[in-house]
Amino acid sequence: MDRIFNFSAGPCTLPLPALQSAADEFLEYQGKGMSLIEMSHRSKEYDAVHHEAADLVRRLYRLPDHYKVLFLGGGASLQFSMVPMNLMQPGGRCDLALTGAWSKKALVDAAKIGTVNLAYDGSDENFMSLPDPASLAAGSGSAYFHLTSNETIGGVQWQRFPDTGPVPLVCDMSSDFVSRRIDMSQFGLVYAGAQKNAGPAGAAIVIIREDLLERSGDHLTAYLNYATHAAKDSMYNTPPVFAVYMIMKTLQWLEEQGGLEAAERMAKERSELLYGAIAGSAGFYRCPVKEHCRSVMNIVFRLPDEQLEKKFVAEALDNDMSGLKGHRSVGGCRASVYNAMPVAGARTLAEFMDDFAARN
Ligand code: PMP
């Protein structure tokens, strides 16, 4: 099989060694006469996977002891409900930075639980910019301050985060999880759908500061209560075992590459190649996002017209580069370059961009 360069926004390309290793042991796991996904989640084999996956998250981020790592079903979208249900009392208040399509979804769900104050509203600038974090503050009486570290569709990414004092900072880190060094102690809660940098779809990784578990009230049903999952180490119910196993394989690969420092370096190299191709095209390609907040994970760009965009996506596919069509809600093109995208993939795309611009 010839693997092609897959620029999909998620699910997306995963490290070949992780896939290969999973394939090698798929039919029979550790000589047990069955696949890991056929085993009880209470088996010692799965237990080891489960804890190693959580430990990898801890090691990569050098997570302080008073944070818990949870693996939950429902993807990142379930967290849009669980965060307000657990952290905010019904009828309470929270702050949110509205920076694009994904923070909008977090906003809509939170607004069903309490009042959401927009600490920042980027709609006037069509979500192509981000504020100076120092200009933001949490309101008094706010239960938490929510932001989306990387808007996967719009291609804007926070470089630094606001200091919200005693009000916990909550971050949807779905599309830049484990891609850069971050001091996790500035957050009360971080969540991420696994299907970009961390593994397959369906599972969410939640990192929660232990004291916040006290907010989860008894009125919540069992699954929707963080305290349930924290008390049982994400084994209250059958965890998404295959997803957790692939998260372990993916993060083991990342650790072998040199962890978050390596992830950050590779992300810089890939994104510089692509933004460089845009900047060097004499206006043929245009990135609508303000320079100071351009994402190193999702590089969005436009061509002179939609016909050319279609042609670009089709010709790229003919050249073994897939997934370059922008999100259906915004159009244009988007190259998602997560951890597992080799720098060579970004270089190949940048060269193709130069060539396509010259020919068109
Ligand atoms: N937040 C962000 C930033 C995302 O990119 C996505 C998925 N693309 C989600 C939330 C939703 O994730 P899921 O599909 O796992 O629910």
Side-chain angles (χ1 to χ4, degrees):
M1 176 194 172
D2 284 331
R3 276 172 72 79
I4 67 172
F5 290 124
N6 171 9
F7 293 94
S8 245
C12 60
T13 191
L14 288 173
L16 184 58
L19 298 174
Q20 194 66 63
S21 160
D24 290 347
E25 58 191 26
F26 186 68
L27 290 183
E28 178 165 34
Y29 192 73
Q30 295 185 351
K32 295 292 166 203
M34 64 178 85
S35 174
L36 178 82
I37 62 170
E38 297 173 300
M39 275 179 205
S40 166
H41 58 294
R42 308 282 174 199
S43 63
K44 75 174 186 349
E45 288 77 18
Y46 178 71
D47 195 69
V49 166
H50 195 79
H51 288 101
E52 175 62 1
D55 284 349
L56 277 157
V57 174
R58 304 199 80 88
R59 292 204 292 276
L60 286 165
Y61 276 117
R62 299 178 207 279
L63 214 54
D65 288 344
H66 60 296
Y67 284 79
K68 287 256 184 205
V69 177
L70 307 176
F71 298 111
L72 304 180
S77 295
L78 183 58
Q79 298 311 307
F80 297 155
S81 309
M82 284 182 74
V83 165
M85 288 169 102
N86 282 264
L87 298 191
M88 181 160 64
Q89 299 311 314
R93 246 171 27 76
C94 69
D95 294 295
L96 182 140
L98 181 58
T99 53
W102 290 109
S103 48
K104 179 83 182 288
K105 291 210 166 169
L107 160 65
V108 169
D109 277 356
K112 298 205 168 158
I113 310 293
T115 305
V116 185
N117 168 55
L118 287 190
Y120 170 75
D121 181 355
S123 51
D124 286 349
E125 293 183 86
N126 212 14
F127 301 122
M128 290 303 146
S129 190
L130 286 178
D132 176 0
S135 70
L136 300 176
S140 71
S142 172
Y144 62 91
F145 188 115
H146 183 283
L147 56 78
T148 308
S149 54
N150 183 69
E151 287 281 1
T152 322
I153 295 174
V156 300
Q157 184 176 30
W158 293 82
Q159 312 302 321
R160 286 174 301 108
F161 302 98
D163 177 359
T164 51
V167 174
L169 192 56
V170 172
C171 185
D172 174 359
M173 226 176 250
S174 293
S175 48
D176 61 359
F177 190 65
V178 293
S179 69
R180 54 178 168 169
R181 287 168 294 177
I182 279 188
D183 175 9
M184 278 288 171
S185 69
Q186 61 194 307
F187 299 101
L189 188 152
V190 164
Y191 62 93
Q195 70 273 28
K196 285 93 166 53
N197 283 315
I205 300 150
V206 175
I207 298 174
I208 182 168
R209 211 175 65 207
E210 270 171 0
D211 62 290
L212 293 176
L213 293 167
E214 286 162 24
R215 294 196 190 180
S216 299
D218 286 339
H219 65 286
L220 294 171
T221 55
Y223 195 88
L224 296 179
N225 189 323
Y226 287 130
T228 305
H229 299 289
K232 304 276 187 195
D233 265 340
S234 311
M235 287 274 213
Y236 161 72
N237 71 326
T238 319
V241 293
F242 192 63
V244 173
Y245 167 73
M246 285 310 305
I247 291 170
M248 179 191 77
K249 292 278 179 206
T250 305
L251 298 185
Q252 279 173 341
W253 168 84
L254 179 59
E255 194 171 57
E256 283 161 17
Q257 303 310 298
L260 300 187
E261 197 176 344
E264 199 174 301
R265 189 181 62 245
M266 292 185 292
K268 188 166 182 290
E269 283 182 46
R270 287 187 298 257
S271 59
E272 281 177 0
L273 282 163
L274 297 176
Y275 286 122
I278 294 168
S281 72
F284 185 82
Y285 303 105
R286 198 164 37 79
C287 174
V289 179
K290 290 264 166 63
E291 227 163 288
H292 72 95
C293 57
R294 286 183 180 173
S295 172
V296 299
M297 296 275 108
N298 310 98
I299 286 108
V300 298
F301 53 98
R302 305 294 317 220
L303 276 69
D305 62 57
E306 286 181 16
Q307 274 320 100
L308 278 169
E309 285 170 348
K310 266 200 185 135
K311 190 172 170 209
F312 177 86
V313 171
E315 276 191 29
L317 189 57
D318 287 343
N319 286 277
D320 289 344
M321 286 171 277
S322 75
L324 288 161
K325 192 164 179 278
H327 191 268
R328 60 191 180 282
S329 62
V330 292
C333 295
R334 171 177 54 171
S336 296
V337 282
Y338 299 117
N339 285 352
M341 171 59 68
V343 173
R347 188 170 300 113
T348 306
L349 176 57
E351 284 164 10
F352 173 75
M353 288 170 73
D354 289 350
D355 179 56
F356 187 89
R359 285 187 288 109
N360 290 276

